[in-house]
Amino acid sequence: MLPSIVRWLMKLHRNHRSRQQLARLDSRLLEDIGISEAQRQACLRKPLWKLQGPGR
């Protein structure tokens, strides 16, 4: 049971860090990676335990 909790906490941490990085991107970088501002905002509003990424 403990390893699964640790994996879940690590996933939350990775999602948190990814979203922090996504929040800091300017419009030029968003365009470079093919993500619109609306997609970014939708991703940032998701709870941390949801899958990350604009299309998910």
Side-chain angles (χ1 to χ4, degrees):
M1 176 135 182
L2 187 58
S4 62
I5 292 171
V6 170
R7 281 193 304 273
W8 184 74
L9 290 173
M10 289 173 65
K11 178 182 175 182
L12 290 180
H13 181 70
R14 279 192 310 271
N15 285 352
H16 176 70
R17 288 192 55 189
S18 294
R19 289 174 192 196
Q20 283 181 321
Q21 292 168 345
L22 181 61
R24 289 192 293 264
L25 296 179
D26 62 29
S27 59
R28 180 185 57 82
L29 290 173
L30 287 176
E31 185 178 338
D32 283 350
I33 62 173
I35 296 176
S36 71
E37 180 62 33
Q39 288 171 312
R40 170 176 44 186
Q41 292 303 320
C43 186
L44 294 175
R45 284 191 299 269
K46 289 180 185 178
L48 286 177
W49 55 88
K50 295 286 185 175
L51 293 174
Q52 59 193 24
R56 295 181 183 172

